[in-house]
Amino acid sequence: MSDDLNMTDALRTRAEELDAADPLAKRRELFALDDGVVYLDGNSLGALARHVPARMADVIAREWGELRIRSWDESGWWTAPERIGDRIAPLVGAAPGQVVVGDSTSVNVFKALVGAVRLVDDAARDEILVDATTFPTDGYIAESAARMTGRRIVPVEPGDVPSAVGPRTAAALVNHVDYRTGRLHDLPGITAAVQGAGALAVWDLCHSAGALPVGLDAHGVDLAVGCTYKYLNGGPGSPAYLYVAERHQARFDSPLPGWNSHADPFAMTSGYAAADGVLRGRVGTPDILSMLALESALDVWDGVDLADVRAKSLALTDFFLECVAAYVPSGALRSLTPAAHAERGSQAALACTEAPAVMRELIARGVVGDLRRPDVLRFGFTPLYVGFADAERAARELSRVYGEVTRAA
């Protein structure tokens, strides 16, 4: 028993030291977090930034309530999709003018994948490679995109994409980080392999943007999509974004040509003429309330170095897994998260036969992660507001809950 207490004291002391040295520690104060709760589900829904409610009160009461329709011009509502896109751009390693915000991730996957096939414009390239481990909606959308463009879907493990691409490949759709395991896939290498075969690379950044440097421009990515309600903390259902590399914009042919992407939207002509640049990714009237909540939430990133975010993310997940190994009996849980930093996103995934009961009890005790059925416990580490003491407490509670649940089973 004394050895267990000494180990716990040592890990708690280390957590305090790591938190004291953390350059991002003060960012936690920007978020509305409950005392006594460890929130490790920011990879599903990011925490609320404290200043957002006041901003939204002004949007609703003044911009909508008083200015009303004048706000499309006077409050900048009309230009919000590209303006907010330019704020997201540095977080994904893109220059201005290549990211537009609007619609859901699913809608943007459809735009990007159909647009990629149309950019390739080669009937002999009749295959679309799709990440076989992808988040389900990406697969559903890809199937629809394939039917629309006369292609067929070829499911491929992300690591096998470089050997699977060939003269029949039009495009490849890959997730940057696996949503279940937290595995980080090789964006530079896969992109180069896809393009080397004459195809285009489309990336889903939902589980990487805001957690680690992405480098879209540096790695020559063709198209990318991502959500904003996870690590970017935009709020439930906040609009997603679409990245179209500048070199592709003049030929990007969206399958959803709405009036907002028209070269002259208010001409109200019956014929469609696409706008210049990334505005081609717009569709219909943007969801202003959720879009402006996102814009306000992005303020928490002002002055943040993504290198610090990545360093803390890796340190947090390392420390959490170390604490789990120290507290939980050997062999009780199986880590699905890669040990190698180059292969890890910003979450820890643990396989456990009693996962539903364990997560349910963890949440009841104030450690909020989530479950991926049937047996995966997911813990998301959002570097802007999760600390090392959180990681230690989560592992300690996990050990207690696991013991209680398995004894009761």
Side-chain angles (χ1 to χ4, degrees), residues 39-387:
Y39 188 65
L40 301 181
D41 206 6
N43 54 333
S44 284
L45 177 63
L48 171 69
R50 291 185 183 276
H51 67 278
V52 171
R55 168 61 178 141
M56 294 314 296
D58 180 64
V59 169
I60 292 169
R62 183 180 62 84
E63 294 186 8
W64 180 15
E66 297 176 11
L67 295 178
R68 291 176 289 275
I69 201 166
R70 291 162 53 196
S71 278
W72 285 104
D73 292 321
E74 296 180 25
S75 300
W77 290 359
W78 185 258
T79 57
E82 58 268 31
R83 182 179 72 243
I84 302 170
D86 282 346
R87 292 196 65 183
I88 291 173
L91 300 178
V92 294
Q98 298 179 103
V99 178
V100 66
V101 173
D103 309 307
S104 66
T105 304
S106 299
V107 172
N108 282 306
V109 168
F110 185 71
K111 295 179 205 170
L113 200 51
V114 173
V117 172
R118 290 176 174 178
L119 282 165
V120 170
D121 192 23
D122 183 348
R125 293 186 174 272
D126 61 351
E127 296 179 347
I128 298 174
L129 303 189
V130 176
D131 178 349
T133 61
T134 190
F135 189 78
T137 195
D138 286 22
Y140 307 154
I141 294 293
E143 287 279 2
S144 179
R147 290 195 302 272
M148 180 176 182
T149 58
R151 268 66 180 179
R152 70 184 188 94
I153 293 295
V154 180
V156 179
E157 292 290 324
D160 294 336
V161 170
S163 59
V165 293
R168 297 183 63 178
T169 307
L173 172 63
V174 187
N175 284 258
H176 197 192
V177 172
D178 186 290
Y179 77 101
R180 294 181 78 253
T181 66
R183 177 177 292 277
L184 174 67
H185 297 132
D186 180 12
L187 183 146
I190 292 173
T191 298
V194 170
Q195 293 173 346
L200 297 186
V202 181
W203 286 90
D204 182 328
L205 310 178
C206 285
H207 288 269
S208 59
L212 52 92
V214 175
L216 293 179
D217 286 353
H219 302 307
V221 168
D222 298 298
L223 299 108
V225 303
C227 67
T228 61
Y229 48 80
K230 301 183 192 299
Y231 296 106
L232 298 185
N233 312 297
S238 57
Y241 56 89
L242 169 69
Y243 165 88
V244 182
E246 184 177 12
R247 65 185 180 278
H248 293 311
Q249 289 176 7
R251 293 182 53 243
F252 179 69
D253 182 9
S254 172
L256 297 172
W259 78 291
N260 265 230
S261 63
H262 196 284
D264 187 1
F266 292 97
M268 303 296 178
T269 59
S270 58
Y272 179 77
D276 291 333
V278 78
L279 293 183
R280 293 181 175 212
R282 291 179 64 157
V283 184
T285 305
D287 186 338
I288 290 298
L289 296 184
S290 62
M291 190 165 289
L292 297 185
L294 165 63
E295 181 175 37
S296 182
L298 291 171
D299 290 348
V300 301
W301 290 96
D302 292 347
V304 172
D305 187 335
L306 281 174
D308 289 339
V309 172
R310 180 58 169 163
K312 183 178 177 182
S313 164
L314 293 171
L316 277 169
T317 46
D318 277 344
F319 185 64
F320 173 73
L321 293 171
E322 179 185 347
C323 291
V324 169
Y327 292 151
V328 180
S330 178
L333 302 173
R334 179 169 59 91
S335 177
L336 304 177
T337 300
H341 285 181
E343 299 174 1
R344 188 191 308 166
S346 196
Q347 73 181 50
L350 304 171
C352 167
T353 55
E354 303 293 335
V358 169
M359 184 54 70
R360 188 163 53 246
E361 185 59 27
L362 272 176
I363 292 172
R365 298 187 187 192
V367 175
V368 182
D370 73 359
L371 171 74
R372 284 294 176 263
R373 292 183 297 175
D375 61 352
V376 178
L377 302 167
R378 278 198 335 171
F379 302 94
F381 290 85
T382 305
L384 294 191
Y385 55 76
V386 173

